[in-house]
Amino acid sequence: MAKLQNGNELIFRVAIAVPVYRLFDYLAPEQFESAHIKPGIRLEVPFGKAKKIAFLVECVQHSDVAIGKLKRVERILDEKPLLSTKDLALLHWASRYYHHPLGEVFSAAFPVALRQGKSVVIQAEKRYALTDAGKAIDSELLKRTPKQKSVLEKFQAHQHSLSEAELSEWNENWRTSVKQLVDRQLLQLAASSEFGASASESIIRNTALQCNPQQQAAITAVCDSLGQFGVFLLEGVTGSGKTEVYMQIIRTVLERGQQVLVLLPEITLTPQLEERFRQRFTVSIAISHSKLTDRQRACAWLTMQRGECSILLGTRSALFTPLKNPGLIILDEEHDASFKQQEGFRFSARDVAVVRGKLLNIPVLLGSATPALESLHNVDNKRYRLLHLPERAGDATAPVLQLLDIRNKRMQEGLSEALVAEIHKTLARNEQVLLFLNRRGFAPTLICHGCGWVARCGRCDANLVIHYDEGILRCHHCGQEQRLIKHCPACKTGELTPLGLGTERVEKVLAELFAGKTIVRLDRDSTQRKGALENYLQQINQGSVDIILGTQMLAKGHHFPNVTLVAILDVDSGLFSIDFHAPEKLAQMIVQVSGRAGRAEKPGRVIMQTRQPEHPLLTTLIRQGYNSFAKTALAERKDASLPPFSYQALLRAQALDAEMPKLFLHAVAELAREYTKGHTDILGPVAAPMARRAGLYRYQLLFQSGKRPELHALLNVLMPKIEKLKQAKKVRWSLDVDPVDLY
DNA sequence: AGCACGCCGACT
DNA sequence: GTCGGCGTGCTC
């Protein structure tokens, strides 16, 4: 029934993943079942020369486009929408809030396979489990078939089934051995879904740990609020037992027959948590992050959508996964900047999670040892409820933080004599040392001792970083590389000298100073190889490593129980950034790195080398802790009318031409001034902190208002006009609502 | 984002 | 005389 009663054709208004702030109208397909026509269904439509997948937004009777120009929907792909009405409302909200085209927002919510129009019938990946015979057998009996023996041991070490993906992650060549073990009836194909454990069957596998009163209070607070919206900020230092709190709350949610979405900032953190969850819960757990194949992600998405799986563990992009029976959203390490998407649809997974929780009427649990200032502010204004875990669980004591004044001290490649002595003492006690330096490579600068020439990137406003191991100079911003040169290209005579410190360089001096000790360097360069990080972590935890040296990567999640001394080699570099977020990020980094030490019975110490021993950020943090720092920092933000006491949106523009981005933003600023009525400040345009990157010149324009509605009202009128601006066609531009870094 | 249309340089 | 460079504009 394509015709309406009045003789007009029914119009399908759809969203398509193109960077255009507009929906498209189509004629209804030749034939369709009107009962199936619900917002959110996927359609195949002709678009320009190509066919595209579109998402139905609404059906209307009239189109502003001449009827003759309308094309017809080619095919209806779904019998019913894959997203609930509430999740569709969430996407509409996100599109409006982030001023991003609805089609692209829809696209972000779907896994690639479904975005491309694939059918929802996707083969789930196989899982294998031990048979009773497999559980009972002594693996030594298989010593003549070592490959099968090791596979068997892998299964026996876990109490649960393993998926094809997990096996591949462990060892690429598992298939033959698994097949042989299946033939010997030691392994079997696990039930396609472990979910649906009948009520009589237990959801949990092993018993929960004993909780302290604060943990218990947190568990009770969230559990009492199940079935209604509320945001909880679970603040607990490393080792305070946040994960145990999560697991006990999850158990209650599962017992209610509901699902849980757990978001983490990084892929590297998923295996640990997955393992703990699998040890605890019998229900099936889906995983979703960018290192998985499209099929695996689509599979995780669909099993959650159908309610065949109870827990989803994923990164930022898993936020939009539909839940048949939503019960709870957990977002761990909520302060982490990785939750903010930094390109395209620039959403904050934390903020969208809160809105989703509100729409679904379920609680949202945010966890961190170092909550974002914004979240603490939301506690102050009663939007979030604080759940505090002040103590370290068990007997572990908190590490002692101290500043090491290195002014006028003799330094050897960034290491003061005092620090070297401390490292020696620690190693003598057979304990591990962890050194943190947030700069990879050998040295950040190559300078000519003769004429002052510096190796610069030809495409960015940045110096090339020396990577001695690879014999190259590399730009850390655009990735461009060139061979490491020996002679100055400018004066031809001068000697080229590395200036500054990177992890490679510190590693080299450590090898000299602590000859005979095992040193492991953990940074993006040393862990590029698949499985390299896991390998190193295993070595470290087995105690075969004495000194661990690394970047950022060390600050997140991994625990090093035998580390008793942590040193932050260069804390000062974080003190002088132009970005107002820098002190917050630095304080979080210090506390997070500190959390790596002193977990077991051995107390930990944290030494920070500084030339600013009186710096208020450092002294407040050390003497009074993160919360006092946060109070001070929030007070400063308030005085300066910075977020969270004001609201920002940053318009960025870049182009090959040096002038166009500035001209474009000037035109926008001029337009904006016509509409703002003084409620919103228009700051700039100014050159971006890195004015040129990957060959493109970059400018930015900041909008800031004390009232969010004012800011959004301005952006609402501005965006369509920006799109039509003639200068807009000569630059690449993007809007970033609530920017977290001003680069 | 794709993809075609369109007006200026080195090739059979 | 054409092939093709990527600037510009459109997609219901």
Side-chain angles (χ1 to χ4, degrees):
Chain A
M1 58 158 263
K3 288 273 196 302
L4 295 168
Q5 282 174 347
N6 59 11
N8 290 337
E9 288 224 45
L10 186 63
I11 307 290
F12 279 31
R13 188 154 285 167
V14 306
I16 300 176
V18 284
V20 174
Y21 290 80
R22 173 175 23 134
L23 299 176
F24 294 89
D25 291 347
Y26 283 85
L27 299 172
E30 297 288 359
Q31 294 211 318
F32 62 92
E33 193 72 55
S34 48
H36 294 164
I37 306 308
K38 298 264 172 59
I41 57 169
R42 295 174 303 151
L43 311 165
E44 190 175 71
V45 296
F47 188 73
K49 271 266 167 163
K51 285 191 186 19
K52 289 232 174 213
I53 303 305
F55 300 92
L56 181 64
V57 173
E58 58 177 343
C59 288
V60 291
Q61 310 218 355
H62 300 285
S63 173
D64 293 337
V65 179
I67 197 96
K69 293 191 79 177
L70 294 181
K71 292 182 183 171
R72 197 173 285 284
V73 171
E74 207 129 294
R75 204 154 63 94
I76 295 171
L77 298 174
D78 297 321
E79 284 195 2
K80 50 181 190 256
L82 293 167
L83 300 184
S84 66
T85 314
K86 286 168 177 179
D87 283 333
L88 291 171
L90 179 71
L91 300 187
H92 276 93
W93 172 84
S95 171
R96 284 194 307 276
Y97 184 87
Y98 290 103
H99 297 271
H100 199 77
L102 186 62
E104 295 198 330
V105 172
F106 262 90
S107 215
F110 285 80
V112 177
L114 296 180
R115 244 180 254 174
Q116 293 168 344
K118 294 248 167 60
S119 150
V120 295
V121 191
I122 288 177
Q123 174 71 49
E125 59 173 351
K126 291 179 187 149
R127 300 189 67 89
Y128 294 91
L130 292 167
T131 59
D132 288 337
K135 283 176 191 160
I137 196 170
D138 180 354
S139 64
E140 284 306 313
L141 294 171
L142 297 181
K143 65 171 178 247
R144 293 184 55 196
T145 49
K147 279 191 183 157
Q148 288 180 48
K149 175 170 177 278
S150 91
V151 171
L152 184 73
E153 283 170 348
K154 170 81 178 165
F155 275 92
Q156 288 181 338
H158 294 69
Q159 296 181 32
H160 52 75
S161 64
L162 292 168
S163 69
E164 295 177 305
E166 289 167 289
L167 288 163
S168 300
E169 179 68 27
W170 169 69
N171 184 336
E172 304 263 358
N173 308 310
W174 55 272
R175 284 181 192 275
T176 337
S177 312
V178 166
K179 182 162 268 162
Q180 287 158 344
L181 288 166
V182 170
D183 290 344
R184 296 171 78 163
Q185 300 191 342
L186 297 173
L187 283 183
Q188 62 189 358
L189 220 49
S192 63
S193 161
E194 289 167 271
F195 184 73
S198 59
S200 60
E201 229 175 300
S202 176
I203 279 167
I204 61 168
R205 200 182 305 269
N206 59 15
T207 44
L209 300 175
Q210 189 66 45
C211 282
N212 63 33
Q214 289 90 359
Q215 284 175 305
Q216 199 51 59
I219 294 163
T220 308
V222 180
C223 287
D224 284 353
S225 155
L226 293 177
Q228 66 192 69
F229 172 65
V231 187
F232 297 89
L233 177 63
L234 180 63
E235 180 178 2
V237 298
T238 324
S240 62
K242 282 200 298 293
T243 308
E244 186 58 34
V245 172
Y246 294 157
M247 291 198 294
Q248 296 204 22
I249 297 168
I250 290 171
R251 178 192 178 169
T252 307
V253 179
L254 298 178
E255 283 167 351
R256 292 164 55 101
Q258 295 178 317
Q259 296 165 294
V260 185
L261 178 60
V262 182
L263 299 178
L264 294 169
E266 279 198 40
I267 298 165
T268 56
L269 303 177
T270 53
Q272 301 172 47
L273 204 61
E274 180 187 357
E275 185 58 27
R276 286 190 69 180
F277 280 17
R278 288 204 194 279
Q279 299 277 346
R280 175 69 57 90
F281 300 111
T282 60
V283 299
S284 70
I285 298 169
I287 307 292
S288 179
H289 56 68
S290 59
K291 285 281 163 68
L292 299 178
T293 64
D294 289 347
R295 196 187 112 194
Q296 290 170 329
R297 300 184 76 179
C299 187
W301 197 93
L302 284 165
T303 54
M304 292 304 284
Q305 196 261 353
R306 296 188 199 122
E308 293 165 2
C309 185
S310 305
I311 301 175
L312 178 68
L313 202 56
T315 48
R316 185 183 62 229
S317 57
L319 167 65
F320 295 101
T321 308
L323 307 171
K324 190 168 188 215
N325 303 301
L328 173 70
I329 301 173
I330 296 176
L331 202 128
D332 195 25
E333 308 294 349
E334 64 88 30
H335 64 280
D336 199 293
S338 320
F339 282 122
K340 181 79 199 284
Q341 181 135 334
Q342 289 293 11
E343 56 193 9
F345 170 30
R346 296 171 179 261
F347 68 100
S348 156
R350 190 222 304 135
D351 299 347
V352 180
V354 169
V355 175
R356 190 171 185 206
K358 182 160 182 143
L359 285 165
L360 298 177
N361 208 29
I362 58 173
V364 177
L365 177 57
L366 309 176
S368 178
T370 52
L373 295 184
E374 201 181 334
S375 297
L376 291 170
H377 182 241
N378 280 327
V379 169
D380 290 342
N381 62 29
K382 307 276 192 280
R383 278 205 279 264
Y384 297 176
R385 189 166 143 201
L386 184 67
L387 306 171
H388 205 201
L389 301 180
E391 291 166 16
R392 288 191 154 207
D395 303 327
T397 45
V400 178
L401 275 69
Q402 52 193 149
L403 293 174
L404 178 58
D405 185 355
I406 55 168
R407 286 174 298 183
N408 292 315
K409 297 284 160 46
R410 272 186 50 194
M411 303 286 285
Q412 190 168 5
E413 308 286 45
L415 303 172
S416 63
E417 288 174 345
L419 177 59
V420 171
E422 290 297 335
I423 296 173
H424 271 300
K425 275 193 244 169
T426 310
L427 295 178
R429 287 194 302 267
N430 257 327
E431 293 166 356
Q432 289 175 328
V433 176
L434 188 151
L435 303 178
F436 179 86
L437 177 66
N438 205 11
R439 210 179 297 117
R440 63 198 170 87
F442 184 83
T445 311
L446 182 65
I447 190 166
C448 174
H449 193 57
C451 70
W453 174 89
V454 169
R456 300 272 297 166
C457 175
R459 309 166 68 218
C460 306
D461 279 336
N463 294 341
L464 292 172
V465 178
I466 307 166
H467 287 255
Y468 261 125
D469 286 355
E470 299 166 78
I472 56 165
L473 293 168
R474 178 184 292 140
C475 175
H476 283 189
H477 301 279
C478 71
Q480 203 177 59
E481 299 175 352
Q482 59 181 77
R483 281 190 54 193
L484 184 56
I485 43 174
K486 293 213 171 62
H487 302 288
C488 176
C491 69
K492 317 281 185 205
T493 52
E495 187 188 337
L496 291 175
T497 320
L499 192 66
L501 279 184
T503 45
E504 245 186 62
R505 189 173 196 171
V506 175
E507 183 185 26
K508 203 160 160 242
V509 70
L510 288 173
E512 287 164 20
L513 288 170
F514 304 96
K517 296 292 177 187
T518 311
I519 299 157
V520 158
R521 172 164 64 92
L522 293 181
D523 55 30
R524 206 156 87 203
D525 301 314
S526 71
T527 57
Q528 245 172 8
R529 242 181 29 255
K530 191 162 170 268
L533 177 64
E534 289 72 22
N535 236 321
Y536 284 135
L537 293 175
Q538 201 185 349
Q539 281 179 40
I540 292 165
N541 286 327
Q542 282 169 353
S544 55
V545 171
D546 302 304
I547 302 176
I548 307 148
L549 164 70
T551 55
Q552 280 291 353
M553 178 173 280
L554 291 177
K556 296 192 185 177
H558 307 292
H559 304 136
F560 305 110
N562 297 317
V563 167
T564 58
L565 176 64
V566 171
I568 301 173
L569 299 185
D570 180 19
V571 83
D572 296 345
S573 57
L575 293 171
F576 304 101
S577 171
I578 41 161
D579 188 336
F580 70 87
H581 296 95
E584 176 185 4
K585 298 284 162 248
L586 177 64
Q588 288 165 348
M589 185 275 280
I590 291 171
V591 176
Q592 293 287 342
V593 175
S594 305
R596 305 306 118 210
R599 292 223 55 190
E601 62 292 342
K602 300 167 187 165
R605 279 174 74 200
V606 181
I607 295 176
M608 290 176 255
Q609 294 193 129
T610 179
R611 293 180 181 86
Q612 298 272 322
E614 310 298 331
H615 196 289
L617 188 159
L618 298 176
T619 54
T620 308
L621 191 60
I622 284 169
R623 293 188 198 133
Q624 297 161 59
Y626 182 79
N627 274 294
S628 294
F629 155 79
K631 276 202 174 61
T632 314
L634 273 170
E636 285 171 12
R637 297 265 188 102
K638 189 172 188 179
D639 286 343
S641 293
L642 287 168
F645 301 92
S646 65
Y647 306 94
Q648 296 184 330
L650 188 69
L651 186 64
R652 300 164 215 259
Q654 54 179 17
L656 278 167
D657 183 277
E659 294 301 314
M660 277 322 297
K662 187 164 54 175
L663 293 174
F664 163 70
L665 292 176
H666 267 300
V668 174
E670 202 172 306
L671 264 177
R673 283 198 186 88
E674 284 179 37
Y675 297 99
T676 142
K677 306 179 201 103
H679 289 299
T680 299
D681 294 326
I682 299 160
L683 306 157
V686 294
M690 181 169 294
R692 202 163 85 99
R693 182 171 175 164
L696 300 173
Y697 291 88
R698 316 156 77 224
Y699 267 76
Q700 53 196 34
L701 181 66
L702 184 68
F703 301 103
Q704 181 175 308
S705 175
K707 295 195 174 110
R708 202 192 285 285
E710 304 285 357
L711 176 65
H712 279 259
L714 173 64
L715 294 174
N716 285 336
V717 293
L718 210 51
M719 292 301 282
K721 294 181 191 301
I722 292 176
E723 212 189 358
K724 293 198 182 76
L725 230 44
K726 62 177 192 295
Q727 294 95 327
K729 289 156 192 153
K730 305 200 164 155
V731 300
R732 294 183 59 173
W733 62 272
S734 67
L735 183 74
D736 191 348
V737 176
D738 306 328
V740 287
D741 70 56
L742 303 177
Y743 275 70

